[in-house]
Amino acid sequence: MSSAAGFLPERTTLRAMRQAVQGCRGCDLYRDATQAVFGEGPDDARVVLVGEQPGDNEDVVGRPFVGPAGGLLDRAIEEAGLSRDDVYITNVVKHFRFVLRGKRRIHKKPDMEQIRACTPWLEAELARVGPEALVLLGATASQAFLGRSFRVTQQRGAFVESPLAPLVTATIHPSSILRADTDEDRRVAFEGFVRDLAMVERALKSRAS
Ligand code: SF4
């Protein structure tokens, strides 16, 4: 079975993993992507946000959430009262999966085997950062960790029992806000996203007090 497990460095510091992930051959996704995109943020972050996989921009730049969805995420983090210094951002899968349409690279959801293969990186990131709150963004990240029957649209915005972190919750992926049909739909979706993140911020505050 494909797995990234054999590619993790001996000492799983974020720095060592960020270098080692470039040599990962744990599944076939490294072949067409420009580079692996590892998580970013402090190693003592109180919150870890997990998306699906790097997008076209992220693949080129080598950093997570730098495209339009990343801009929305930054705004939402701020409006929710969280500090970027408290947040570590990463993805379930570290290489960009896409299909070519002409010259355009169109996002393609990673399959279960690729998600499973890549999970050791995220597990090692979580073990290293040890966040108080884990926020899964979108269906792929949520189902990878909370089971395939988890429905983000119905179960978002509430904490679920999980050994992954003291506070675990799921919400939409910011890219889904960008895909909304109208400006009004986008506004409503963004407000809901901020509301879910603000719930995390309040829970962190009450843990600290
Ligand atoms: S997607 Fe994950 S498991 Fe697959 S090659 Fe990239 S880092 Fe390794």
Side-chain angles (χ1 to χ4, degrees):
M1 202 176 72
S2 315
S3 175
F7 297 91
L8 265 67
E10 216 162 282
R11 279 193 68 229
T12 50
T13 61
L14 294 179
R15 195 176 168 177
M17 288 194 284
R18 193 166 289 117
Q19 281 174 3
V21 74
Q22 299 304 337
C24 185
R25 304 292 181 259
C27 76
D28 57 351
L29 290 183
Y30 72 91
R31 285 198 202 122
D32 297 326
T34 309
Q35 59 193 315
V37 179
F38 204 64
E40 212 173 79
D43 63 5
D44 59 352
R46 296 183 76 194
V47 185
V48 170
L49 300 179
V50 183
E52 180 192 84
Q53 63 164 349
D56 190 46
N57 289 308
E58 287 83 6
D59 169 81
V60 174
V61 176
R63 296 178 55 207
F65 286 95
V66 292
L72 268 185
L73 180 61
D74 285 347
R75 250 181 64 210
I77 287 171
E78 205 182 305
E79 288 193 23
L82 290 164
S83 157
R84 269 308 292 258
D85 294 342
D86 277 340
V87 177
Y88 181 89
I89 300 175
T90 191
N91 286 297
V92 176
V93 167
K94 309 303 190 208
H95 278 102
F96 178 36
R97 188 183 196 203
F98 59 90
V99 285
L100 273 178
R101 220 167 278 157
K103 282 188 180 159
R104 289 186 62 209
R105 304 191 302 171
I106 310 294
H107 163 274
K108 187 170 180 196
K109 195 170 138 45
D111 65 30
M112 274 317 287
E113 197 181 330
Q114 291 157 340
I115 291 169
R116 236 178 267 127
C118 209
T119 302
W121 290 112
L122 182 58
E123 287 173 345
E125 287 174 291
L126 288 175
R128 174 58 58 175
V129 177
E132 289 173 64
L134 172 67
V135 183
L136 301 162
L137 305 172
T140 302
S142 304
Q143 292 182 352
F145 289 93
L146 302 177
R148 296 194 73 180
S149 60
F150 190 89
R151 293 284 169 270
V152 176
T153 44
Q154 292 156 25
Q155 293 169 270
R156 64 184 284 189
F159 291 113
V160 294
E161 280 295 316
S162 166
L164 295 166
L167 300 166
V168 177
T169 187
T171 183
I172 56 173
H173 192 287
S175 63
S176 71
I177 301 171
L178 296 169
R179 289 195 302 271
D181 288 336
T182 65
D183 285 350
E184 178 59 9
D185 290 348
R186 268 186 289 283
R187 187 186 64 75
V188 170
F190 182 75
E191 279 178 11
F193 186 46
V194 171
R195 217 168 23 246
D196 290 347
L197 295 179
M199 177 193 77
V200 174
E201 194 270 340
R202 282 195 305 277
L204 287 174
K205 235 185 217 151
S206 64
R207 276 172 65 84
S209 61

